[in-house]
């Protein structure tokens, strides 16, 4: 039974990842800040016959990541999905920059995925899938930015794209692949009701992308529909 470790599993894309991978027979280590209040995630766990286990993890607290890595020491992990993320720009723009929020955006969106890779690389060594997937966004693409604004979110996603590109090179000798995924504009709390696709469609597409990954795909920025996203 392959094993997935995923952050931000309590709602939106994370919850749908858990739902679909569990239905496909995977063991899912589902992480979120407060599992006790994550009712939908708890329901998935209760119905999973032990395949889905919940783990408290606040990725903004890097010591939390170390603590979870200690708990899971020796557990083979086939796929690590860095899904947790924040969008702090909703009420700011040029001239209204919240610099404290910017620091938090980099901590959650950029530094935490790097820390997850460092903390769980030994677990990935033990697994068969040896894949790190980080959910980013076209809003982190320099080429795609034709509207400006969203300085905090865009910069943190552009930065994590570079982190993953470097990981793909540094971890290649260990046989570990690292990719960046664009989920599309999805109907979630973050994407809003006017988004173009459902969570089910986005996750099904990203799962297909991950199922087909080869070593040559490591370091790529890939859309949920398999298209190459320009950096």
């Amino acid at each position: 039974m392959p094993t997935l470790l995923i952050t931000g599993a309590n709602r939106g894309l994370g919850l749908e990842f858990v739902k679909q991978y569990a239905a496909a027979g995977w063991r899912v280590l589902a992480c979120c800040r407060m599992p006790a209040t994550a009712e939908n995630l708890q329901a998935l766990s209760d119905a999973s016959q032990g395949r889905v286990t919940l783990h408290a993890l606040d990725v903004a607290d890097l010591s939390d990541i170390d603590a979870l890595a200690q708990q899971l020491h020796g557990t083979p992990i086939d796929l690590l999905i860095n899904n947790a993320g924040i969008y702090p720009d909703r009420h700011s723009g040029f001239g209204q920059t919240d610099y404290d929020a910017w620091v938090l955006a980099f901590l959650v969106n950029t530094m935490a995925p790097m820390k997850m890779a460092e903390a769980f690389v030994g677990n990935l060594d033990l697994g068969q899938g040896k894949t790190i997937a980080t959910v980013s966004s076209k809003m982190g693409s320099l080429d795609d930015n034709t509207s400006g604004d969203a300085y905090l979110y865009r910069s943190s996603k552009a930065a994590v794209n570079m982190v993953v590109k470097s990981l793909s090179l540094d971890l290649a000798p260990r046989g570990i692949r690292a990719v960046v995924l664009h989920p599309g504009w999805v109907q979630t709390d973050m994407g809003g009701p006017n988004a173009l696709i459902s969570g089910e469609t986005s996750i099904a597409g990203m799962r297909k992308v991950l199922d087909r990954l080869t070593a040559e795909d490591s370091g790529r920025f890939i859309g949920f529909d398999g298209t190459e996203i320009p950096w």
Side-chain angles (χ1 to χ4, degrees):
M1 181 186 299
T3 298
L4 161 67
L5 173 64
I6 180 169
T7 63
N10 58 307
R11 62 191 178 97
L13 297 178
L15 187 67
E16 186 63 28
F17 267 125
V18 174
K19 180 179 178 181
Q20 291 195 23
Y21 272 106
W26 283 55
R27 179 189 182 196
V28 181
L29 309 174
C31 304
C32 64
R33 285 183 297 168
M34 295 179 287
T37 61
E39 295 180 2
N40 292 331
L41 182 58
Q42 186 65 62
L44 281 177
S45 177
D46 292 343
S48 71
Q49 298 180 324
R51 288 194 306 277
V52 177
T53 57
L54 275 53
H55 303 269
L57 176 65
D58 181 356
V59 297
D61 183 346
L62 301 184
S63 65
D64 247 22
I65 296 176
D66 282 329
L68 182 62
Q70 292 238 342
Q71 293 173 28
L72 296 177
H73 179 73
T75 300
I77 292 173
D78 296 280
L79 172 61
L80 164 61
I81 297 181
N82 290 307
N83 170 71
I86 57 174
Y87 189 112
D89 294 88
R90 297 197 186 280
H91 304 292
S92 66
F94 181 77
Q96 301 172 312
T97 305
D98 184 335
Y99 287 90
D100 289 335
W102 204 351
V103 170
L104 182 60
F106 263 82
L107 181 56
V108 173
N109 294 348
T110 309
M111 296 168 66
M114 178 66 175
K115 181 64 173 177
M116 290 291 294
E118 291 181 323
F120 292 99
V121 68
N123 304 78
L124 289 160
D125 283 335
L126 296 174
Q128 297 296 312
K130 300 185 187 302
T131 300
I132 300 172
T134 298
V135 178
S136 185
S137 169
K138 283 177 70 175
M139 290 185 71
S141 164
L142 301 183
D143 186 79
D144 188 69
N145 186 359
T146 59
S147 60
D149 201 24
Y151 293 90
L152 284 61
Y153 185 72
R154 286 187 188 279
S155 61
S156 67
K157 288 301 187 180
V160 81
N161 292 351
M162 183 60 81
V163 165
V164 174
K165 181 64 177 180
S166 288
L167 285 174
S168 73
L169 299 170
D170 291 339
L171 299 183
R174 305 173 79 139
I176 296 174
R177 302 166 296 189
V179 294
V180 181
L181 298 177
H182 167 58
W185 186 14
V186 189
Q187 297 158 1
T188 63
D189 290 345
M190 184 180 290
N194 296 321
L196 299 178
I197 61 173
S198 67
E200 292 88 347
T201 297
S202 174
I203 300 307
M206 288 191 283
R207 286 182 57 226
K208 286 182 181 178
V209 169
L210 292 172
D211 286 345
R212 297 169 183 169
L213 279 184
T214 66
E216 288 71 32
D217 293 317
S218 192
R220 291 178 59 201
F221 190 1
I222 310 172
F224 76 98
D225 56 359
T227 58
E228 191 89 19
I229 306 297
W231 296 108

